[in-house]
Structure formats: C-alpha cells, structure tokens
Amino acid sequence: MPNDSNLRLKERADVVARTVLSQQSFYQSDQCTQNQKQLLETMVGAAIWYFPQSDELWTGGISVEALKALAESSQPKKVKLTKDHRYPRKVAAAELFLLNWSVIEDPAEEVLSRYLSCYGQYNFVLPEENKRLVKYQKTKSFISPEQAYEQAGIQLKQLSRPLLRAIQSGETELAALVLSGDID
C-alpha cells in the first residue's frame, strides 16, 4: 500500500478504536436496547467498510462458479467479480465492542491489525453468490467464513494475482486448468 493509504488506514483505525472505546460501556449496559446495539454495530461496521482497500487483502480465494464463468466467457474482462469480505463488518463491530480493551496497549494498532489479518480480507465471488452469502453472514447466525461459504454452497479455489490477471485478460484455458486441479 502507498504511504497515503497507510496513513489514511491508520487514522481510520484510530477513529474506530476511539469510537468503540467511547461507546463500549453504553453498548454493554442494560440501558442499550438491541436496536441501539445494532445501530452502533452498523455505524462502526460502516466505518470499517470505508477503510482503504488494497490487493494485499485478497485471500487468493475465488469461487469455482466465478472461475467457470471466466473460463466460459468470450470476454472474461466483462465477468463481474464481487469482493466478498469474509468477515461481516457488523460482526467485526460487535467483536470490537466486546473486547477487553484494558489489556490492549495500542487500541488503534489492534483495530488495524484485525483489519489487515481478518476484517478487511476478501474473496472473489459472482454477484449472485454474494447475495446468497448474506443470510449466513448476519451477526446472529455467523460462526465462521468457512461455514458461511459452505452453507451458501460456495466452494473456493486458490490462485495468485498474476494468474487471475492472465485469466481476466483472455487466457481462459488457465481457468479450466485451475478448475481441473492441473494448475494452482
């Protein structure tokens, strides 16, 4: 990530950490209704959504259906791939509100670290697969990214960024090779 992006990311992580710390006692109190908790989670989750994104956050995962669409397309650049964040942002926000911040030395660094290692990571899926995932990524039902993908019937394959770029630029036979297991 370029320096400007790093600075923006650190500043946003700091704002999220400060927001969570300032609202945590209310969030955890008996005075906070479920509706209010959901609003706080939505607000913090939205802030996480607006963190700068980079290619480094891609897990290397792409759905089998997306690979098939690329392999079968005469214009693979026009195949719409959606970045599906493995970890739902409202779930991430709820997790932050439940952390014991008293044992964390640098809250902004904690948020940043969680974003880079978990909350910001994404896979490529087709838009219709992304819609299927939504019901398994709700705060009340979410267990893990793996379980959500399994429940939505989405299988992932791993590939490198250069291989994805080659497939998108027209080397669709590479997608077929990845699907068959002959290349990874």
Side-chain angles (χ1 to χ4, degrees), residues 11-25:
E11 287 177 341
R12 289 178 185 208
D14 184 51
V15 169
V16 167
R18 289 173 187 266
T19 301
V20 169
L21 284 165
S22 72
Q23 297 302 311
Q24 186 179 39
S25 63

Side-chain angles (χ1 to χ4, degrees), residues 2 13 15 31 60 67 72 79 101 110 135-136 147 151 153 164:
V15 169
Q31 291 82 36
L67 273 172
E72 295 166 2
V79 173
W101 289 96
E110 181 70 20
K135 71 178 174 181
Y136 304 110
Q147 185 177 25
Q151 290 173 314
L164 177 60

Side-chain angles (χ1 to χ4, degrees), residues 16 47 66 99 101 120 145 166 168 178:
V16 167
L99 276 180
W101 289 96
Q168 288 176 310
V178 171

Side-chain angles (χ1 to χ4, degrees), residues 129-147:
E129 291 177 304
N130 189 252
K131 286 183 179 103
R132 279 200 329 254
L133 276 164
V134 169
K135 71 178 174 181
Y136 304 110
Q137 293 177 326
K138 302 250 183 229
T139 308
K140 295 226 183 274
S141 60
F142 183 79
I143 305 294
S144 70
E146 295 76 21
Q147 185 177 25

Side-chain angles (χ1 to χ4, degrees), residues 1-13 52 54 56 112 116:
M1 269 189 262
N3 272 346
D4 283 350
S5 187
N6 280 341
L7 179 60
R8 283 181 54 221
L9 186 54
K10 287 179 183 179
E11 287 177 341
R12 289 178 185 208
S54 71
E56 290 88 33
L112 179 61
L116 294 173

Side-chain angles (χ1 to χ4, degrees), residues 19-176:
T19 301
V20 169
L21 284 165
S22 72
Q23 297 302 311
Q24 186 179 39
S25 63
F26 172 62
Y27 178 91
Q28 293 181 351
S29 75
D30 292 338
Q31 291 82 36
C32 189
T33 67
Q34 192 58 40
N35 186 42
Q36 290 169 317
K37 282 183 181 183
Q38 288 175 349
L39 179 59
L40 286 167
E41 290 166 2
T42 298
M43 290 165 43
V44 169
I48 292 169
W49 177 257
Y50 286 106
F51 278 19
Q53 300 218 349
S54 71
D55 287 349
E56 290 88 33
L57 294 171
W58 178 45
T59 65
I62 184 168
S63 73
V64 167
E65 291 304 313
L67 273 172
K68 284 180 184 173
L70 289 165
E72 295 166 2
S73 177
S74 60
Q75 295 181 303
K77 282 187 180 186
K78 293 195 176 189
V79 173
K80 174 78 172 129
L81 298 179
T82 298
K83 289 179 181 178
D84 177 69
H85 287 83
R86 298 176 72 243
Y87 211 84
R89 57 187 183 232
K90 284 180 76 173
V91 172
E95 191 174 279
L96 291 173
F97 276 113
L98 296 174
L99 276 180
N100 178 1
W101 289 96
S102 67
V103 299
I104 296 169
E105 195 171 309
D106 186 342
E109 184 57 39
E110 181 70 20
V111 171
L112 179 61
S113 173
R114 286 170 179 264
Y115 178 73
L116 294 173
S117 67
C118 184
Y119 303 156
Q121 293 187 342
Y122 62 88
N123 297 307
F124 284 117
V125 299
L126 295 174
E128 55 271 22
E129 291 177 304
N130 189 252
K131 286 183 179 103
R132 279 200 329 254
L133 276 164
V134 169
K135 71 178 174 181
Y136 304 110
Q137 293 177 326
K138 302 250 183 229
T139 308
K140 295 226 183 274
S141 60
F142 183 79
I143 305 294
S144 70
E146 295 76 21
Q147 185 177 25
Y149 278 78
E150 185 179 321
Q151 290 173 314
I154 298 170
Q155 183 183 1
L156 297 174
K157 288 277 193 178
Q158 291 295 124
L159 66 149
S160 67
R161 175 71 63 184
L163 186 54
L164 177 60
R165 284 190 186 118
I167 292 168
Q168 288 176 310
S169 9
E171 297 182 48
T172 54
E173 67 281 355
L174 293 174

